[in-house]
Amino acid sequence: MKTTKRKKSCGIDEIPMNVVVDAAAVIGDDYLSFFNLCLVRMPKIWKIALIKPLHKNGNKMDQTNYRPISNLCSMEKVFEKLLLKELNGITDGSHQHGFKAHHSTTTAMLALQEIIATKLDDKMNVVVYSLDLSAAFDMLRVDTFVEILKDDIPEWLLSVIIDFLTERRCTVGVEGSRSSLRDVPLGCVQGSVLGPRLFNLYTSKIPNCFPHEVEVISYADDTYVVVCDKDEKALTKKLEDCIQAHTKALLSLGMIVNSKKTEAVRFGKNSPSISFKCNGETIATGKEMKVLGVIFDQGLNWMSQVDKAVCKVTRLTSGLKFLRKKLTKKQFLNAVTSQFYGLLYYGCQVWLGPHTRSSSIRKLNSVHYRVLCYGWWKTIARKKRKEANLTPLAGPGLACGPNTLWAILSSKRSNTVCRWICTMPCIEPYSPKEEDLSEQSFLIHLNQKLDTKQFKTESAPFLTR
């Protein structure tokens, strides 16, 4: 209970999580006995979700402009955490990167990039495709789940999960009024702690439908399949067979495949496009595809990704000018690193490195320094730049972490650049001797001195080599 996140929102029991956390020391022992009884039968009130519609934009009378937020009973979530620990020993496949500790969209993209690069180095023809699924999380079927995992999950735990998934109902609450209860016969429990883990287990057997030489990378319901062969005609045949087997496996799980939105790219510089059949639809491979928010282009030169990122953040620059007059120094720095640099350098561990073209680096440098001069460090940044006689330089350490920062700044001007970056206001002065100016000393300094609490963006991992 004490480790549960504090929240003011509550389910149909009207008990916010804040109360549960504060009262954990008092009610913990009593609820432990109660949870043991729940292993036999869960309370019916726990199976009712309170749906609160959140308006996104547009006409408020149009129901498609609302996002449904599912609120469950607070004590049910604590019970789910106990069940989640029991499922930790059950594997959901090394291909899955979603809803797993130490995994993220970045690890999924890095794994996919490594597979593609390795196959290209082996002189193989490489095609990556992704099938579009409609409402995948809403299609989990309890009977199919039991059939798939009856040999992997202990019988007592499987019976508890069946009880958790069945007889679910929901009601919509708006301004104190509630609708009548509706049955929810299918799907993962939205807003639950256990639901994402159950979805991973539900789809864990999908890679078994492919030949062993076919690689699969997944993040939640997004799956990317890498098909390769040295012969182009054999590649097309293998691709069609894989799609057919993949579609059959998804349909057996009750999922809906939208064949018209299937994406595929043939990788390799100047590789010609090929056409293939996908459930009766003829589809040609394109020159690029979006993978978890990052554009993978045919030649892996990442120019499209850089252009997209620069274009997206350029629209925010006028807003930053307004924000710097209204926020404190710390608030403005948090806003810039989380919103601006978070968008500009999202997935940079994949596409930003020695292989990135110099023209793309210059675009990043330009927009990065432009925003750098908007902040409260404007005077210092200009002074250091003038002293060093530098063109605008990106300081990706603000959003990329010291390892990536060192990789980008390791150049003929590395000595000057490192001193310039390390004398910025958020970093204590760093004046190493020539013999001490190395990657190791640079990383140690940043890891020790940088106030990482100010950098709350997901794309800012501070790692060590």
Side-chain angles (χ1 to χ4, degrees):
M1 292 183 182
K2 294 181 180 179
T3 59
T4 306
K5 291 184 179 180
R6 303 174 65 90
K7 291 184 179 180
K8 295 182 180 179
S9 60
C10 56
I12 200 169
D13 60 350
E14 298 183 353
I15 302 176
M17 191 60 74
N18 287 347
V19 175
V20 175
V21 175
D22 293 336
V26 179
I27 66 176
D29 293 337
D30 294 330
Y31 263 99
L32 180 59
S33 301
F34 178 66
F35 287 155
N36 286 326
L37 296 176
C38 292
L39 295 175
V40 180
R41 184 72 175 175
M42 286 179 59
K44 289 186 176 181
I45 192 174
W46 282 9
K47 298 187 178 185
I48 301 176
L50 178 60
I51 309 296
K52 293 187 176 181
L54 179 66
H55 182 250
K56 296 183 290 185
N57 51 48
N59 185 7
K60 290 188 176 183
M61 300 303 294
D62 186 357
Q63 64 180 7
T64 59
N65 292 331
Y66 287 85
R67 178 184 295 110
I69 305 299
S70 177
N71 294 316
L72 304 176
C73 297
S74 299
M75 293 310 302
E76 183 199 4
K77 292 187 176 181
V78 178
F79 181 65
E80 289 179 45
K81 291 184 70 175
L82 298 176
L83 297 180
L84 190 61
K85 289 184 178 180
E86 299 294 332
L87 289 172
N88 285 340
I90 303 172
T91 179
D92 51 13
S94 59
H95 69 285
Q96 180 61 258
H97 292 254
F99 314 120
K100 294 174 69 174
H102 313 297
H103 290 72
S104 65
T105 55
T106 301
T107 60
M109 290 186 290
L110 285 171
L112 182 61
Q113 181 197 35
E114 181 181 4
I115 293 171
I116 296 171
T118 302
K119 299 298 183 183
L120 290 176
D121 289 342
D122 294 338
K123 308 299 182 181
M124 305 281 279
N125 295 305
V126 181
V127 173
V128 177
Y129 78 85
S130 175
L131 296 180
D132 182 75
L133 302 179
S134 299
F137 286 90
D138 297 331
M139 296 299 171
L140 187 147
R141 302 172 185 269
V142 179
D143 53 346
T144 308
F145 181 90
V146 173
E147 185 65 26
I148 293 173
L149 297 165
K150 62 183 179 181
D151 296 330
D152 300 327
I153 300 178
E155 186 176 351
W156 72 268
L157 182 56
L158 190 59
S159 64
V160 176
I161 293 174
I162 293 172
D163 185 32
F164 170 75
L165 292 173
T166 53
E167 299 179 3
R168 305 294 307 195
R169 295 185 294 174
C170 69
T171 179
V172 179
V174 179
E175 297 181 354
S177 301
R178 293 179 184 172
S179 67
S180 58
L181 293 173
R182 298 289 184 90
D183 292 334
V184 185
L186 299 175
C188 297
V189 181
Q190 298 291 335
S192 66
V193 177
L194 196 59
R197 175 68 167 151
L198 296 181
F199 180 83
N200 280 0
L201 293 171
Y202 188 61
T203 58
S204 61
K205 308 296 184 182
I206 289 179
N208 296 342
C209 71
F210 299 111
H212 70 278
E213 67 271 12
V214 174
E215 303 278 358
V216 180
I217 298 295
S218 299
Y219 186 88
D221 60 333
D222 294 318
T223 301
Y224 302 92
V225 182
V226 184
V227 184
C228 58
D229 200 289
K230 291 191 175 182
D231 182 66
E232 186 171 321
K233 292 183 178 179
L235 175 67
T236 305
K237 180 65 169 58
K238 184 183 292 186
L239 180 61
E240 292 177 348
D241 292 343
C242 286
I243 291 177
Q244 185 177 359
H246 192 182
T247 304
K248 184 178 179 181
L250 292 172
L251 292 177
S252 67
L253 298 177
M255 297 185 181
I256 302 173
V257 180
N258 190 346
S259 301
K260 294 182 178 180
K261 292 186 178 181
T262 298
E263 288 186 293
V265 172
R266 182 180 179 183
F267 286 91
K269 189 175 181 180
N270 301 323
S271 295
S273 175
I274 61 173
S275 298
F276 58 94
K277 293 283 185 179
C278 176
N279 301 326
E281 300 282 342
T282 302
I283 298 175
T285 57
K287 293 185 177 180
E288 60 186 33
M289 70 185 301
K290 184 176 286 188
V291 177
L292 303 175
V294 171
I295 298 177
F296 277 58
D297 57 85
Q298 193 176 35
L300 294 181
N301 55 38
W302 312 108
M303 294 180 65
S304 298
Q305 168 60 26
V306 173
D307 291 341
K308 184 201 76 169
V310 170
C311 180
K312 186 180 292 186
V313 299
T314 301
R315 302 170 189 169
L316 303 176
T317 53
S318 58
L320 291 176
K321 291 181 181 179
F322 173 80
L323 280 178
R324 67 176 178 177
K325 301 175 183 178
K326 304 294 182 181
L327 301 178
T328 63
K329 296 177 181 179
K330 185 175 181 179
Q331 289 172 339
F332 183 78
L333 181 60
N334 285 338
V336 170
T337 52
S338 62
Q339 299 298 321
F340 186 89
Y341 291 123
L343 292 174
L344 183 61
Y345 292 111
Y346 170 71
C348 62
Q349 295 90 338
V350 179
W351 53 265
L352 186 57
H355 54 274
T356 308
R357 292 192 176 186
S358 57
S359 58
S360 298
I361 295 293
R362 285 194 294 270
K363 290 179 182 179
L364 292 171
N365 289 342
S366 177
V367 68
H368 186 114
Y369 186 76
R370 193 186 315 156
V371 175
L372 200 65
C373 290
Y374 289 162
W376 51 275
W377 54 84
K378 178 178 179 179
T379 304
I380 295 180
R382 284 185 174 177
K383 181 180 178 182
K384 295 300 177 183
R385 178 170 172 256
K386 185 176 180 180
E387 289 177 357
N389 192 25
L390 298 174
T391 55
L393 283 170
L398 292 176
C400 303
N403 287 331
T404 308
L405 175 59
W406 178 267
I408 297 171
L409 298 183
S410 295
S411 62
K412 296 179 181 178
R413 301 178 300 180
S414 59
N415 291 9
T416 307
V417 172
C418 291
R419 291 193 179 94
W420 176 67
I421 292 293
C422 292
T423 50
M424 290 175 60
C426 59
I427 306 175
E428 292 186 14
Y430 179 49
S431 301
K433 298 179 182 179
E434 290 295 329
E435 59 271 16
D436 294 333
L437 185 58
S438 62
E439 178 181 1
Q440 184 177 4
S441 62
F442 183 73
L443 296 179
I444 291 174
H445 174 75
L446 282 187
N447 280 317
Q448 290 178 348
K449 304 301 183 183
L450 195 58
D451 182 11
T452 56
K453 294 181 180 179
Q454 296 180 358
F455 305 98
K456 299 181 179 179
T457 172
E458 184 183 357
S459 60
F462 288 84
L463 310 172
T464 55
R465 286 189 178 179

